[in-house]
Amino acid sequence: MSGVGRDYPVHRGADRGSEPVAGDLSRHRLTVVSGPSGVGKSSVVGELRKLEPEIYFSVSVTTRAPRPGEVDGAHYHFVDRAEFDAMVDGGRLLEWAEFAGNRYGTPREPVEKALAEGRPAVLEIELQGARQVRAAMPEARLVMLMPPSWEELVGRLTGRGTENEAAVQARLAEAERELAAAGEFDHRVVNADVREAAEHLLNLITADQFSEEAEHHE
Ligand code: 5GP
């Protein structure tokens, strides 16, 4: 195994005792989780949510129609194109992108609020958005979730059954582009096992907080 095993410490929020540094957003790094469609981002981020409830998980706005079971305000804020564009024009999105024919964006205010309160914040977004975050907040930590293999990703995407053939093809084309950009990310985490990938992510987030505290108390 390459670093995704259990041989690293997993720290719980309640034990952390960190002091929020009001107004200094740079001390609380944003973590961006990207990765191709079908790699299991939602499952891994969902597992991370269970492991560490202190983390703020951004809820994106999207013009995509809800999938069966998706809840407005929980999985996404589902908006129409006019509402989305008004948010862009009003500077209310931290980043946004068009992906496979729909628009997706991160509401700015809740993320900034969480960071200002000293909570780590996590965005689950695609590559173009990750690049915008990097440009706007160079201190953000970028993590790419990788499939164990390309064949595995194709199997997961075609087996999901929530998209038609054209949409699956569009997502596979995007997936190829996203994986080609893996080198731009600070960390690459292979999702062979959801729990292990989530623990790996949590470890990256908490390890970083401890080093920031050490630096802060010098
Ligand atoms: P899906 O339609 O499968 O829910 O999401 C499609 C892609 O859009 C995924 O790669 C997902 O991570 C990404 N995505 C979700 N929310 C956002 C967002 O707010 N901004 C950006 N740039 N991408 C997002």
Side-chain angles (χ1 to χ4, degrees):
M1 289 299 292
S2 56
V4 290
R6 289 171 176 272
D7 55 340
Y8 46 81
V10 173
H11 303 291
R12 301 288 173 161
D15 303 334
R16 213 165 42 223
S18 62
E19 283 293 315
V21 183
D24 184 358
L25 295 186
S26 67
R27 298 211 74 82
H28 304 286
R29 287 169 74 190
L30 185 62
T31 299
V32 172
V33 180
S34 288
S37 195
V39 78
K41 275 175 299 188
S42 305
S43 308
V44 172
V45 167
E47 191 67 25
L48 178 62
R49 185 193 292 271
K50 282 193 239 156
L51 288 174
E52 180 50 275
E54 261 301 290
I55 298 174
Y56 171 73
F57 293 92
S58 169
V59 179
S60 297
V61 286
T62 183
T63 60
R64 169 169 76 61
R67 292 186 186 127
E70 283 185 334
V71 175
D72 189 31
H75 296 90
Y76 282 106
H77 300 287
F78 295 99
V79 297
D80 62 21
R81 182 66 184 264
E83 270 179 88
F84 192 97
D85 291 350
M87 291 186 82
V88 173
D89 292 344
R92 288 162 57 206
L93 298 181
L94 191 59
E95 59 72 37
W96 71 273
E98 184 138 350
F99 180 91
N102 293 299
R103 292 188 169 185
Y104 299 82
T106 303
R108 179 190 300 279
E109 199 192 322
V111 173
E112 290 185 346
K113 183 167 173 279
L115 292 173
E117 285 170 354
R119 292 178 73 188
V122 170
L123 312 183
E124 184 216 313
I125 62 176
E126 51 67 71
L127 177 62
Q128 303 162 69
R131 286 177 172 151
Q132 288 171 45
V133 172
R134 166 122 295 166
M137 294 178 155
E139 72 280 5
R141 173 194 303 101
L142 267 54
V143 182
M144 179 167 282
L145 211 52
M146 312 278 292
S149 68
W150 174 253
E151 290 69 30
E152 177 100 20
L153 185 71
V154 173
R156 287 185 199 175
L157 254 179
T158 48
R160 190 153 74 177
T162 52
E163 263 84 24
N164 63 31
E165 180 60 24
V168 168
Q169 288 310 321
R171 280 164 186 266
L172 279 173
E174 292 284 358
E176 226 175 333
R177 273 194 285 279
E178 299 226 349
L179 288 174
E184 293 175 33
F185 284 68
D186 302 312
H187 304 277
R188 285 155 292 280
V189 171
V190 175
N191 181 22
D193 176 275
V194 170
R195 173 79 181 203
E196 286 186 356
E199 287 182 349
H200 192 171
L201 258 176
L202 179 59
N203 191 51
L204 292 173
I205 293 168
T206 55
D208 180 71
Q209 281 185 340
F210 281 116
S211 65
E212 280 177 7
E213 279 167 39
E215 195 184 302
H216 183 55
H217 292 310
E218 266 171 15

